[in-house]
Amino acid sequence: SITKQGHSYTTNTTMIVTVKYGLEQSASVNVEEGTTIEQVLGKVRDALGFGSNVKALIDGHAQPLGNAVSDGDTIEVETAANSKAA
């Protein structure tokens, strides 16, 4: 880690990820490298008002929630169909 002016900074890169839900709602969050899609959704779930039964799409392709996000990603959240398939 790096210390500047008494503050300790980890060397992890901070990234900005945008989450979109519905036609008009979106939120951008700062996350550290290695953050998963599921963790990002957890940060914005209350603000955007979606439930836990959702799927995440990046560039139109469904993503496993355990995948790490990349800087600049836009995650589109859709309510998942009520099925047992993961």
Side-chain angles (χ1 to χ4, degrees), residues 17 19 27-29 39-50 77:
V17 177
V19 179
S28 294
V29 291
Q39 290 170 316
V40 172
L41 298 186
K43 289 177 181 282
V44 300
R45 177 170 281 122
D46 289 344
L48 297 183
F50 55 85
V77 176

Side-chain angles (χ1 to χ4, degrees), residues 41-63:
L41 298 186
K43 289 177 181 282
V44 300
R45 177 170 281 122
D46 289 344
L48 297 183
F50 55 85
S52 57
N53 188 23
V54 295
K55 58 183 178 179
L57 292 85
I58 296 177
D59 295 330
H61 301 285
Q63 304 292 316

Side-chain angles (χ1 to χ4, degrees), residues 3-34:
T3 302
K4 289 183 181 175
Q5 300 174 338
H7 296 287
S8 181
Y9 297 94
T10 61
T11 53
N12 284 356
T13 304
T14 300
M15 307 181 300
I16 296 178
V17 177
T18 301
V19 179
K20 290 185 175 182
Y21 178 62
L23 295 175
E24 298 180 3
Q25 297 192 78
S26 69
S28 294
V29 291
N30 288 305
V31 297
E32 290 188 348
E33 200 168 15

